[in-house]
Amino acid sequence: IGLVRYGFLGYDDGIDIALRVGTLTDSSLVARVVGQQQIITVGSKALLRRTTIATPQDIGELPAVVFRMPSTGMIRPWHFSSQGGRLTEMHPTPLISFDDGEAMVAAVRAGLGVTQVPSYMVEAELASGELVEILAQHRPPPLPLSAVYPGGQKNLPARTRVFIDFLATLRIAPKLRAPGAAEPARRRRR
């Protein structure tokens, strides 16, 4: 297993399978959704203590730590959903930009601003209270996580098929509950 951060998946790449997040637009790939990824908006307690964020528009008042896409150099926009389910795209003015999610989280932990990142990247910081989720009621819908491989393969290698089936059994999904949802009941061990 190797990690290829950016690039294309093709026959000549020597790649059997890739994982992609988001809606796929390349019709030459075969895809199977194996999970989902929730994007959330977070900031440090210290930074958020000085302000109240009630709507996505309030974000404009805070410094933004943003993701710069290495392939294009463009800043990834932030997304929020409204009560009616409509998706709103925002282009925050960046204080600082990174092409690495871990660097973004470190900057937010240092109190440099707020950011949008996948929930799994900040689980520990949220659990400890170091970071706080803001605008949970405006989370965008989870993004599909797909296993993809080049189309046109008449006989998919068995190892690839087995790996895709394994990924599907993991049911990769955000661990955060939906806003307002009750905590799941815990089973008692006997």
Side-chain angles (χ1 to χ4, degrees):
I1 295 176
L3 176 64
V4 178
R5 289 193 58 164
Y6 306 100
F8 299 96
L9 178 63
Y11 297 111
D12 300 331
D13 294 329
I15 298 173
D16 295 316
I17 187 172
L19 294 176
R20 289 204 177 162
V21 177
T23 305
L24 303 175
T25 57
D26 187 340
S27 62
S28 69
L29 299 176
V30 177
R32 179 173 174 190
V33 175
V34 296
Q36 57 184 350
Q37 184 179 86
Q38 181 66 61
I39 302 296
I40 62 173
T41 308
V42 296
S44 70
K45 270 188 172 179
L47 177 70
L48 296 173
R49 200 175 326 202
R50 298 179 288 215
T51 187
T52 301
I53 304 296
T55 69
Q57 291 72 29
D58 296 336
I59 290 285
E61 300 173 15
L62 293 173
V65 177
V66 299
F67 184 75
R68 182 180 41 80
M69 296 177 280
S71 59
T72 64
M74 303 286 292
I75 300 298
R76 185 180 61 79
W78 290 0
H79 293 96
F80 297 95
S81 62
S82 65
Q83 289 180 346
R86 198 178 95 237
L87 201 59
T88 302
E89 183 174 286
M90 293 184 65
H91 298 270
T93 302
L95 170 70
I96 190 167
S97 67
F98 295 97
D99 65 359
D100 179 84
E102 291 177 4
M104 293 169 60
V105 172
V108 172
R109 287 175 59 208
L112 294 180
V114 296
T115 195
Q116 273 196 340
V117 292
S119 59
Y120 74 85
M121 295 188 81
V122 291
E123 285 176 348
E125 291 83 355
L126 290 171
S128 73
E130 183 177 11
L131 295 182
V132 177
E133 180 178 5
I134 53 177
L135 301 172
Q137 69 278 19
H138 294 284
R139 286 183 192 163
L143 299 169
L145 175 62
S146 302
V148 297
Y149 55 91
Q153 291 184 357
K154 293 183 181 188
N155 296 315
L156 187 63
R159 68 179 183 211
T160 304
R161 190 176 343 86
V162 168
F163 186 63
I164 293 170
D165 291 344
F166 169 72
L167 288 174
T169 65
L170 294 177
R171 297 190 177 134
I172 302 164
K175 293 182 181 179
L176 296 177
R177 294 186 307 277
E183 186 168 339
R186 298 186 186 266
R187 289 185 181 178
R188 291 187 176 188
R189 291 192 172 179
R190 295 180 183 193

